[in-house]
Amino acid sequence: MAEGLNRLLGDTPGRTIIKLVVISVVVGFVMSMMGFSPWDLVRFIQRGLRDLWNSGFAALGRVGDYLIVGAMIVVPVFIILRILNWRKT
């Protein structure tokens, strides 16, 4: 089971937590320097949900279009990266 968890996380749980903490501090510092706060993100999500409700869910059609266009790039790149990584192991 530990091997499966390590494979899922990409490393041991302890090292993964340390990496996430370091990256979180760096991202938090950069966001703070740019003037962003976590509350800005909360307000953005609230505003987006309110606009979605007010628009009668017409925006969902656009999200589906964005999903398909993005998946045309993301999925092949993901598959290629997984194949290249699989060869190394």
Side-chain angles (χ1 to χ4, degrees), residues 6 10 35 37 42 49 51 54 57 60 75-76 83 86-88:
N6 289 351
S37 74
V42 170
L49 291 173
D51 291 346
N54 292 335
F57 294 94
L60 286 179
V75 171
I83 289 171
W86 177 64
R87 292 175 130 186
K88 292 179 184 178

Side-chain angles (χ1 to χ4, degrees), residues 36-56:
F36 293 116
S37 74
W39 291 113
D40 293 334
L41 179 61
V42 170
R43 283 187 224 108
F44 175 77
I45 292 171
Q46 286 176 337
R47 196 172 333 122
L49 291 173
R50 190 175 329 115
D51 291 346
L52 177 64
W53 182 263
N54 292 335
S55 71

